[in-house]
Amino acid sequence: MKKTDYEQFAGKKCQELIQIQERFRTQFELGNYQQWYYDAELALLRLYNNDEDQIYLKYIPIGTFSFTSETWMWSWFNEHSVEPNKGSILAVKEFGIKNNYTKLTEGTFPADEFDCWEFAAISLDMLNGMGLYRVSTEKLQSYFLITAVLDENSREVVHFNQAKVTCKIHGLSRPAFICQHLDLKNPKGFEESFDTYKGMELDEEDDFAAWCDECERVRMKYNGWNEDSEEFAKIKLVCEDCYFELKDFNKAE
């Protein structure tokens, strides 16, 4: 079966990506970092093991793959993508229009992992990026085009770190809030303000917040949070990593 023009083009870009990506990952030792966090409003990705072993990467969001619907969505089409530079990916769409490559012009459609890497490889080539990075959560894979490595003292990195808490175990991370009873000794249930997963984007007014089953009973007794129910819960500050460790341990199966 003869390959289409698009298949030949995408295949060539994926072959080129292999060497580019290998050099990129080797140069910055990206495989050594176990944790990640990104700030969409700053389009800044932090890879880290601790506060002394970390790297900050500037990125352009390419798109996302949904495990639930098995669909791809370009960042320019995604209303939840708030990165200020996502419009750069429209250059890929314009290229697709000129060449009648519909996968580059439609906002969202059924896809698989091979498609995603093709889109990422094409974006890397067209926008002259340094390399690619993919972050995965329970529901999504997000593909980032890396454009720069930032110094820890740069203005953007300083701004990035101002909204974080310092955890003795996990270092810098987003803040989260739990009741005094939740721990890693005995499961006590895990009630939340809304359904969460690690790495998810939060609206400006939202926080990770959870409490145990007993706190929920007290909260219902008083018809919500008030002085009495809050006194019983004694909400305390933790980091995002601690929050999800507690969630995994305490939530009902």
Side-chain angles (χ1 to χ4, degrees), residues 72-237:
W72 168 264
M73 182 180 292
W74 288 99
S75 62
W76 54 261
F77 185 78
N78 188 349
E79 62 181 14
H80 298 294
S81 176
V82 300
E83 286 89 348
N85 57 1
K86 71 176 185 179
S88 302
I89 295 296
L90 286 170
V92 179
K93 179 183 180 182
E94 292 170 1
F95 176 81
I97 293 173
K98 290 179 181 178
N99 292 275
N100 197 30
Y101 295 159
T102 57
K103 288 185 177 181
L104 306 184
T105 62
E106 296 178 356
T108 184
F109 47 86
D112 57 30
E113 187 173 348
F114 295 104
D115 289 317
C116 298
W117 282 115
E118 287 179 351
F119 305 149
I122 293 168
S123 300
L124 176 70
D125 179 68
M126 295 199 64
L127 297 176
N128 297 313
M130 298 175 63
L132 301 172
Y133 197 85
R134 181 181 68 179
V135 300
S136 296
T137 65
E138 294 177 6
K139 299 180 180 180
L140 285 177
Q141 287 180 332
S142 299
Y143 290 77
F144 294 156
L145 172 66
I146 306 303
T147 59
V149 177
L150 300 185
D151 185 271
E152 293 186 20
N153 295 317
S154 68
R155 180 183 59 82
E156 286 179 285
V157 171
V158 171
H159 184 193
F160 175 92
N161 288 328
Q162 284 177 341
K164 310 297 182 296
V165 296
T166 301
C167 173
K168 292 181 180 179
I169 300 173
H170 302 107
L172 285 171
S173 185
R174 286 191 291 183
F177 301 90
I178 62 169
C179 74
Q180 64 172 329
H181 310 108
L182 289 173
D183 57 33
L184 297 175
K185 298 177 181 178
N186 298 299
K188 299 179 177 68
F190 201 87
E191 298 288 338
E192 295 184 282
S193 302
F194 50 86
D195 189 30
T196 65
Y197 57 90
K198 189 176 180 181
M200 70 183 291
E201 293 183 24
L202 296 174
D203 291 335
E204 186 174 346
E205 66 275 11
D206 289 334
D207 290 303
F208 294 117
W211 51 95
C212 68
D213 288 346
E214 187 61 29
C215 281
E216 177 65 5
R217 284 189 282 270
V218 173
R219 191 179 75 89
M220 296 301 293
K221 174 184 176 181
Y222 290 104
N223 296 315
W225 292 114
N226 62 13
E227 184 176 341
D228 294 312
S229 55
E230 289 178 3
E231 173 61 25
F232 181 80
K234 285 187 166 58
I235 298 296
K236 61 182 182 180
L237 175 68

Side-chain angles (χ1 to χ4, degrees), residues 14-32:
C14 283
Q15 287 299 314
E16 294 172 355
L17 171 65
I18 293 173
Q19 290 187 339
I20 295 172
Q21 191 68 3
E22 184 176 350
R23 288 197 302 267
F24 175 61
R25 291 182 63 85
T26 300
Q27 180 181 357
F28 297 104
E29 300 180 333
L30 299 187
N32 294 339

Side-chain angles (χ1 to χ4, degrees), residues 42-100:
L42 295 175
L44 186 57
L45 170 68
R46 179 193 182 217
L47 305 180
Y48 64 99
N49 293 316
N50 52 57
D51 290 347
E52 284 71 45
D53 188 11
Q54 59 188 338
I55 187 171
Y56 293 90
L57 305 171
K58 192 70 177 174
Y59 73 87
I60 296 172
I62 301 171
T64 55
F65 175 73
S66 168
F67 291 119
T68 304
S69 60
E70 295 187 339
T71 55
W72 168 264
M73 182 180 292
W74 288 99
S75 62
W76 54 261
F77 185 78
N78 188 349
E79 62 181 14
H80 298 294
S81 176
V82 300
E83 286 89 348
N85 57 1
K86 71 176 185 179
S88 302
I89 295 296
L90 286 170
V92 179
K93 179 183 180 182
E94 292 170 1
F95 176 81
I97 293 173
K98 290 179 181 178
N99 292 275
N100 197 30

